[in-house]
Amino acid sequence: MVTVAVEVAVTKWFTSAIIGKLINKASSYFKDQKAWQSGMKAELDRLSKFRPQIETLVYAAERGDLRGDHNPALEEWLGQLRDAVEEADNVLDELEYRHLKEEAEEGRGKWTNTIVKFAVRAAQQDDVLKRLREVVKTFDNLVAGLGTFAQVLSWLDGHTATEVRGDIGRETGRIFTENEFFGREKEKQTIIHWLNNSETKIISVFSIVGVGGVGKTALAQNLFDHPGLDFQIKMWVCVSTSFEEKAIIMKMLESLTKTKHEFATLDAAQSILKEKITGKKFFLVLDDVWNDEEREKWNKVMAPLKYGFAGSKILLTTRMESVANTVAKVVGETKMSLNLNSLQEWDNLLLFEKYAFAGFNPNEYARLRSIGNKIAKKLRGIPLAVKTIGGMLNYKLEEEYWSRVLEDGALNLDKGTDGIKAAIRLSYEHLPPELKPCFRYCSIFPPDHEFGRHQLVDMWISVGLIPEDEKRQEELASEFFEILVRKSFFERKASCYSLNQVGDSFFTPFASYYSMHDLLHELAEILSKNECLRVVSNDPFQIPQSIRHLSLMTNNILVLKNLSGLKYLRTLLLFCDIEDDGLAGVINTALKGLKSIRYLELSSDNVYDFPKSIGDLVHLRCLSMTTDIPELSPRICMLYHLQILEFRWINYSFAPSEQSIPADICKLSKLKRLYLPTYDLSTIPHVGKLRSLQHLKKYSVKGVVGYDISELEMISLERLPPFGQLPYLKILTLDELGALKVIGLEFYGSSRSGNTFPALETLKLISLIQLEEWREDTQSENCLPCLERLESLTSLKELWIEKCGALKSLGGLEAIPSLKVLVIGTCPMLATISPLDSMDESPRNRLSMALDVLDIDHPELLLAVPLRNLHLTKSVQISGSHSITLLPEQWLLQNGASLQSLVLFGSTLRSVETLPDSLQSLLSLRNLALHNAYRLTRLPELPRSLEILEIYGCSEELAGRLKEGGLDYDKFRHLDLEVSRVLSQSMISW
């Protein structure tokens, strides 16, 4: 078998796309020149002929097929290919830059335009085209070297990916192999409660989700033979990476009968299993499951299991949330799962000392024990890592060795084939090839860094990690991001108190942030060591030339001087606070050499002059600056590829003028997002030329040419422009349009028959005090106050409605199943009181809408149509000055299977004396926050799923029951509990 150890940093789609463009562009530019006859046509023909073999090698390497014996020749060839592909990308990008520049100069007059076009034609022999010829020759040399790898190509052609990689399924059994089990009491009780819960349905599924090595299998083993369970049949199946229906059913039978079974057909296997379990209550563990896509295979596995007795249970362990989602859909129930987090600190330390000091008395090694405590903390409660590193340390009880282990990462030290490194890497190997570079890219963030979806999506797109296909890149990048979330590479971090000021009120949109587990971050660093680098240092050092993405934080000006030679660099995050008069000059010089840079983020409070060299970075897609530079340079208007411009001041005392932003910025036709603090887009003349702009934050009309209402195709101040025809518009805020009376056909465009608002994700309606009607066609009498017929907004995910006093109904929301966030405030007519007992729970009236966040300022809005029919809501926040005496118990139970967070702010609880016992039935609830609950004297039993309980402002009696030693302390001590009798001033927003 021919294998090589290669971690390739260029992807098949990128290689294929660039080679295709190169062949077409070079043919177009050179076909009439002497170079064409002198050999270039033959070189391009050879490149076209051998392109499939190049793609085969790249795809095999990025998929992980080429690993094993070291092959330096192939590794070197792939490195040269990456350099050639990126150089070709740069050259082609510069040719497109010329075209964009020519377009931007169109308005300079006929004579000037003629000169420009002549100059472009005359430039056919310039440096860019010379480099284009050199790139073609480089590829020709690479093609000539393909013959060296004929044996590898032959092997790949004759074997499947699984055969080439040599995938070996992991095997586990039902018996817990340890003599002690540390921690997990809360998790065990939650699952035992589910196992013992009487069910009328035949099958119920519960998923344990967590990263590799966190202890999912151990927890399942510990539960499998728990004495408190009552099942007639118990089966254990380790599924692993290969999901073959017949093989899985045969494993069930083998576990049940203790006899190996062989069947020629799937039907025979299904029939025997059906016979064995019909009418019997069974408990099945499906361990280490990876299949999150092939639902038809799942259906075939589940088919015979449906003949079991009511109350049968399937406990599933997986690394991926997407598996839990898929299985829940297959069995037709709301997903029930538990995200298995790290061990608690004390349990983590006990487990570490068991392995690190096995056979020894830890009390006799005080110094090692102190170092060991620090090592254990670094392992972050991952049992497999604790066992692996602890066992390794046990062989060498020496202070110097333990200190070195403390300094190095767990994955760097683990050399075993079945240790934590292999377990963690397995998740990476099963990623689709196009997602692997996106994951590796995240290593430029520091550990525990919290990042937003849009930030990372912007970075991926800017540096060229997202393919260009029939989907918009933003959509595809968001899909990539969601896959990494579902496969548990990214962990969602939602903050209940993320305040967003709108008007005079504060709302909590539950903006989600994400992070990576330390071990996954460490893996990304190892895999990307030749392409990504993150440095926090004040000591000068040499940066490898191979680095493509760099994050640098330093306070030493000498460190910055090493940047200028990084010709392949595509990302630079530069953070420097250096009090040196020469800082701006050094940064300017350093940036000159970054000829490939696509994403530049500069943060410094000691830079006061705009680095002129930024204007020469023609490939730049994103420029983000946080400095004390008072104004942008006109040179920025030469960055015709720029898509994102973010310009922030550290010193917010600046009073910007219209001169702060150069007038020619309107020539940046590819600009999608423009963030300019403290002033609006009306400081830019002819803003309508920014035809790619997605986010229109604010626009103030002036009666001057270039600044007037025609820039947005306004019809009149009482009407809206045709926003529906903007194909990339993602966020639209209508705020304080005091004269706006009608939202009509013109809002969508000239016709309602076409696709309107194809990209709109966020719509905010704020202070529309004169708004009387919302009409979608000329005959319609539907109007706001009825919000009817909103089916046009097919991509809408977030809707804010505030200070719309005439709004009487939310009818029409049911036409937006894509909606995820709904925020309503200061709309008094909406809170139409309806009796609780009139709520119709019948399935036909339930909304398919699954809100991630419902944020309202009046509790009675939960009784309004259509909110009363919600049943898949994840987070609810009720705030404002309106109090209730009873919680809307029926509505909460209706959403009980999905509700994860319940936050009651403001005066909502001022009159509430008791909370309902039914709170215990909210089995998914993880976060409960109560404010101003001064009449509440005790808490009922709360669901076992609860992790965080926060009470700000409560009675003395309740605070006493919950404090250490209080009557209820032991009941709630396992929670992340915070209780304050007084609501601090920082919490008061009403």
Side-chain angles (χ1 to χ4, degrees):
M1 174 176 174
V2 180
T3 54
V4 290
V6 174
E7 189 61 51
V8 72
V10 64
T11 56
K12 175 182 175 288
W13 75 260
F14 189 61
T15 302
S16 180
I18 295 302
I19 290 177
K21 286 182 183 179
L22 178 66
I23 293 171
N24 293 334
K25 286 288 185 182
S27 300
S28 173
Y29 274 92
F30 292 116
K31 65 181 178 181
D32 297 326
Q33 296 190 25
K34 189 178 293 186
W36 187 254
Q37 287 80 24
S38 64
M40 182 166 287
K41 183 177 186 302
E43 291 169 351
L44 288 172
D45 287 344
R46 278 194 296 273
L47 178 57
S48 182
K49 178 181 177 181
F50 288 97
R51 177 177 168 185
Q53 293 187 24
I54 293 173
E55 293 172 356
T56 296
L57 281 175
V58 171
Y59 186 55
E62 72 176 349
R63 198 172 53 190
D65 294 349
L66 303 179
R67 51 187 166 95
D69 300 329
H70 189 53
N71 188 328
L74 181 53
E75 197 164 342
E76 182 181 358
W77 186 89
L78 285 166
Q80 292 171 354
L81 176 67
R82 176 180 66 170
D83 295 345
V85 168
E86 291 184 359
E87 174 61 10
D89 183 36
N90 283 344
V91 172
L92 295 169
D93 206 51
E94 288 174 42
L95 291 172
E96 185 184 355
Y97 175 87
R98 283 181 174 175
H99 175 69
L100 293 170
K101 183 177 181 181
E102 185 177 348
E103 280 188 342
E105 299 293 344
E106 284 292 337
R108 295 178 58 180
K110 184 176 180 181
W111 176 247
T112 304
N113 192 43
T114 300
I115 294 174
V116 169
K117 288 185 176 179
F118 174 79
V120 171
R121 288 196 299 271
Q124 297 300 306
Q125 300 298 325
D126 71 3
D127 178 63
V128 178
L129 296 184
K130 179 182 176 183
R131 286 166 54 209
L132 183 58
R133 288 195 295 269
E134 290 173 351
V135 165
V136 173
K137 289 187 177 294
T138 300
F139 273 100
D140 195 49
N141 292 333
L142 287 166
V143 167
L146 272 174
T148 309
F149 313 117
Q151 192 180 3
V152 175
L153 286 164
S154 176
W155 169 262
L156 291 171
D157 187 52
H159 295 78
T160 66
T162 300
E163 289 172 333
V164 174
R165 284 199 304 265
D167 286 355
I168 299 174
R170 172 175 174 253
E171 192 65 43
T172 65
R174 66 176 70 189
I175 300 175
F176 184 57
T177 57
E178 306 287 337
N179 54 15
E180 285 184 272
F181 188 78
F182 293 90
R184 307 297 195 200
E185 288 303 318
K186 176 184 171 185
E187 292 88 346
K188 284 170 61 177
Q189 291 305 314
T190 297
I191 299 173
I192 290 170
H193 177 75
W194 165 75
L195 287 168
N196 287 327
N197 189 25
S198 298
E199 302 270 0
T200 56
K201 53 191 173 184
I202 302 297
I203 303 175
S204 179
V205 180
F206 192 101
S207 299
I208 304 175
V209 183
V211 298
V214 78
K216 303 181 294 295
T217 298
L219 178 57
Q221 288 170 332
N222 194 263
L223 290 165
F224 191 80
D225 288 319
H226 192 277
L229 304 182
D230 180 24
F231 294 96
Q232 295 168 280
I233 293 175
K234 291 198 289 186
M235 297 172 284
W236 179 285
V237 174
C238 179
V239 179
S240 198
T241 55
S242 177
F243 196 91
E244 297 299 330
E245 309 97 295
K246 187 172 70 172
I248 292 171
I249 292 174
M250 285 164 56
K251 285 185 177 181
M252 292 183 197
L253 286 167
E254 186 174 345
S255 178
L256 178 60
T257 64
K258 308 299 182 290
T259 304
K260 190 172 182 63
H261 294 261
E262 294 290 344
F263 297 98
T265 65
L266 173 64
D267 177 68
Q270 289 176 322
S271 298
I272 297 300
L273 181 60
K274 173 187 171 183
E275 180 184 318
K276 295 287 186 185
I277 68 170
T278 295
K280 295 180 181 178
K281 184 178 176 183
F282 66 81
F283 175 29
L284 168 64
V285 173
L286 295 176
D287 187 38
D288 195 25
V289 181
W290 293 76
N291 178 21
D292 62 346
E293 295 176 350
E294 300 168 301
R295 288 182 61 177
E296 186 53 37
K297 286 189 174 183
W298 272 111
N299 286 329
K300 291 174 182 177
V301 169
M302 292 293 181
L305 298 177
K306 294 176 181 178
Y307 291 89
F309 192 73
S312 295
K313 309 283 186 176
I314 301 176
L315 180 63
L316 180 149
T317 76
T318 179
R319 303 181 184 205
M320 305 185 297
E321 192 78 35
S322 52
V323 171
N325 293 332
T326 297
V327 177
K329 292 174 183 176
V330 168
V331 299
E333 67 176 8
T334 303
K335 181 188 70 176
M336 289 186 286
S337 64
L338 181 151
N339 288 295
L340 195 60
N341 298 315
S342 305
L343 286 172
Q344 295 292 324
E345 185 174 343
W346 176 246
D347 295 316
N348 181 54
L349 182 58
L350 288 176
L351 182 62
F352 174 80
E353 290 195 342
K354 175 188 174 182
Y355 279 83
F357 294 105
F360 301 92
N361 183 354
N363 294 323
E364 297 177 1
Y365 296 88
R367 179 59 185 160
L368 287 183
R369 201 173 190 185
S370 175
I371 299 171
N373 287 350
K374 296 175 183 176
I375 294 173
K377 286 181 180 179
K378 284 187 68 174
L379 297 175
R380 296 296 183 94
I382 301 295
L384 181 57
V386 173
K387 294 175 185 179
T388 302
I389 302 303
M392 183 179 67
L393 292 169
N394 182 255
Y395 286 99
K396 205 169 186 178
L397 300 180
E398 298 176 5
E399 185 175 331
E400 181 182 352
Y401 179 64
W402 281 44
S403 296
R404 183 164 63 84
V405 170
L406 178 61
E407 294 302 317
D408 295 332
L411 299 192
N412 283 314
L413 290 165
D414 176 26
K415 308 299 182 185
T417 58
D418 59 351
I420 183 62
K421 185 174 183 178
I424 295 294
R425 178 158 183 149
L426 188 61
S427 296
Y428 170 79
E429 297 291 358
H430 280 79
L431 277 178
E434 60 271 20
L435 266 69
K436 290 180 178 179
C438 295
F439 167 72
R440 296 196 303 266
Y441 185 84
C442 299
S443 64
I444 66 170
F445 296 134
D448 298 322
H449 175 72
E450 292 188 356
F451 49 87
R453 174 199 302 268
H454 294 297
Q455 173 198 12
L456 192 52
V457 161
D458 289 342
M459 297 176 85
W460 285 344
I461 294 173
S462 297
V463 301
L465 297 182
I466 304 300
E468 296 179 10
D469 62 5
E470 65 277 2
K471 288 187 177 180
R472 292 192 307 115
Q473 283 186 301
E474 287 84 355
E475 284 183 43
L476 192 56
S478 292
E479 285 182 16
F480 284 10
F481 191 96
E482 273 304 310
I483 291 172
L484 289 170
V485 172
R486 292 199 304 268
K487 292 185 181 294
S488 302
F489 283 85
F490 297 160
E491 181 181 354
R492 195 186 309 269
K493 305 276 188 180
S495 173
C496 293
Y497 307 114
S498 176
L499 298 180
N500 189 348
Q501 189 171 7
V502 179
D504 299 322
S505 301
F506 287 82
F507 290 92
T508 305
F510 287 80
S512 290
Y513 292 89
Y514 301 82
S515 66
M516 294 170 62
H517 192 281
D518 281 9
L519 289 175
L520 286 170
H521 183 273
E522 194 175 326
L523 177 67
E525 288 183 320
I526 292 172
L527 295 172
S528 66
K529 64 181 179 182
N530 294 322
E531 56 178 323
C532 301
L533 182 64
R534 180 180 50 82
V535 178
V536 180
S537 176
N538 293 325
D539 298 323
F541 62 96
Q542 192 64 39
I543 302 173
Q545 286 290 311
S546 65
I547 292 301
R548 265 61 178 177
H549 312 290
L550 174 66
S551 173
L552 175 60
M553 180 179 291
T554 185
N555 291 326
N556 186 344
I557 200 168
L558 296 177
V559 174
L560 301 180
K561 295 182 178 180
N562 289 330
L563 293 175
S564 58
L566 301 177
K567 63 179 181 178
Y568 297 117
L569 198 67
R570 290 187 159 227
T571 302
L572 176 61
L573 312 180
L574 180 58
F575 310 94
C576 54
D577 293 323
I578 304 170
E579 295 184 7
D580 191 306
D581 294 338
L583 177 60
V586 171
I587 291 177
N588 187 63
T589 301
L591 295 179
K592 282 182 181 178
L594 306 183
K595 298 301 184 182
S596 300
I597 199 76
R598 263 72 172 169
Y599 187 99
L600 176 60
E601 184 173 336
L602 172 62
S603 179
S604 175
D605 58 2
N606 291 299
V607 175
Y608 308 104
D609 298 316
F610 190 89
K612 294 181 179 179
S613 58
I614 288 180
D616 298 323
L617 304 179
V618 297
H619 303 293
L620 207 59
R621 264 61 175 179
C622 178
L623 175 62
S624 177
M625 301 182 68
T626 305
T627 66
D628 276 338
I629 300 172
E631 60 185 34
L632 288 172
S633 166
R635 289 179 60 80
I636 208 169
C637 303
M638 302 288 287
L639 301 176
Y640 297 118
H641 278 302
L642 199 65
Q643 298 177 6
I644 300 169
L645 175 59
E646 297 178 339
F647 188 49
R648 300 179 179 88
W649 287 307
I650 294 174
N651 183 358
Y652 281 95
S653 63
F654 282 139
S657 64
E658 291 189 4
Q659 287 72 41
S660 298
I661 304 298
D664 281 350
I665 203 168
C666 64
K667 293 181 177 180
L668 302 181
S669 61
K670 288 202 166 187
L671 202 63
K672 295 179 180 179
R673 189 166 71 249
L674 180 60
Y675 179 86
L676 307 171
T678 71
Y679 50 86
D680 55 55
L681 294 183
S682 56
T683 61
I684 303 172
H686 304 292
V687 71
K689 292 183 179 180
L690 297 175
R691 56 182 181 270
S692 298
L693 205 63
Q694 294 180 0
H695 185 183
L696 185 62
K697 184 179 180 183
K698 186 176 182 182
Y699 187 83
S700 300
V701 178
K702 300 180 183 180
V704 181
V705 174
Y707 300 91
D708 61 19
I709 200 70
S710 66
E711 289 300 317
L712 295 179
E713 300 179 25
M714 290 279 187
I715 298 172
S716 72
L717 283 173
E718 296 182 359
R719 301 279 176 168
L720 293 172
F723 287 118
Q725 298 303 304
L726 296 175
Y728 303 116
L729 185 66
K730 298 176 75 173
I731 302 173
L732 176 60
T733 300
L734 305 178
D735 187 1
E736 296 186 0
L737 299 178
L740 184 66
K741 294 183 178 180
V742 176
I743 297 178
L745 189 62
E746 74 284 346
F747 182 55
Y748 302 93
S750 58
S751 172
R752 284 285 288 108
S753 60
N755 185 20
T756 59
F757 293 108
L760 189 66
E761 295 181 357
T762 300
L763 175 61
K764 297 185 179 183
L765 309 177
I766 301 170
S767 299
L768 306 181
I769 57 175
Q770 295 294 322
L771 190 63
E772 297 174 353
E773 296 179 322
W774 184 321
R775 295 176 180 166
E776 292 209 359
D777 57 68
T778 53
Q779 305 300 320
S780 174
E781 296 183 0
N782 298 312
C783 60
L784 192 155
C786 286
L787 267 186
E788 297 286 353
R789 296 171 60 86
L790 299 181
E791 61 266 23
S792 306
L793 307 176
T794 55
S795 298
L796 196 68
K797 296 180 180 177
E798 185 171 338
L799 177 61
W800 289 46
I801 306 173
E802 192 201 14
K803 295 184 179 178
C804 295
L807 186 61
K808 297 178 180 177
S809 169
L810 291 172
L813 282 182
E814 57 269 26
I816 320 177
S818 60
L819 198 66
K820 294 298 179 186
V821 176
L822 178 61
V823 180
I824 303 173
T826 323
C827 298
M829 300 296 288
L830 281 178
T832 303
I833 301 175
S834 301
L836 270 174
D837 56 12
S838 69
M839 291 182 67
D840 188 348
E841 290 188 273
S842 62
R844 59 186 174 83
N845 286 324
R846 289 192 173 189
L847 289 185
S848 60
M849 184 190 304
L851 288 179
D852 287 342
V853 177
L854 176 61
D855 187 342
I856 57 178
D857 71 339
H858 200 305
E860 288 168 354
L861 285 170
L862 296 179
L863 310 181
V865 176
L867 300 188
R868 64 195 301 166
N869 296 323
L870 291 169
H871 72 289
L872 296 171
T873 312
K874 290 183 179 179
S875 299
V876 175
Q877 175 173 306
I878 306 175
S879 59
S881 58
H882 306 283
S883 62
I884 56 176
T885 55
L886 295 172
L887 287 183
E889 185 174 356
Q890 190 171 335
W891 189 94
L892 293 173
L893 291 173
Q894 186 173 294
N895 289 266
S898 58
L899 193 64
Q900 298 178 17
S901 178
L902 177 60
V903 180
L904 304 173
F905 279 1
S907 299
T908 306
L909 294 176
R910 282 193 181 275
S911 302
V912 173
E913 297 181 356
T914 60
L915 297 179
D917 291 334
S918 59
L919 283 180
Q920 188 178 4
S921 300
L922 305 181
L923 297 179
S924 296
L925 194 67
R926 297 180 181 176
N927 176 68
L928 177 62
L930 311 173
H931 282 207
N932 292 317
Y934 291 109
R935 296 195 178 187
L936 205 60
T937 58
R938 59 175 293 276
L939 295 178
E941 292 291 332
L942 297 177
R944 295 182 182 276
S945 58
L946 196 67
E947 297 173 0
I948 301 172
L949 174 61
E950 297 175 340
I951 304 175
Y952 295 103
C954 67
S955 66
E956 182 178 357
E957 182 178 349
L958 179 59
R961 294 179 71 97
L962 295 176
K963 72 179 182 180
E964 188 169 358
L967 292 175
D968 292 336
Y969 176 73
D970 289 337
K971 187 190 300 184
F972 301 112
R973 65 182 300 178
H974 64 283
L975 297 175
D976 183 352
L977 178 64
E978 187 166 348
V979 180
S980 173
R981 284 189 57 204
V982 181
L983 188 65
S984 66
Q985 289 298 315
S986 63
M987 291 285 184
I988 300 175
S989 316
W990 302 274

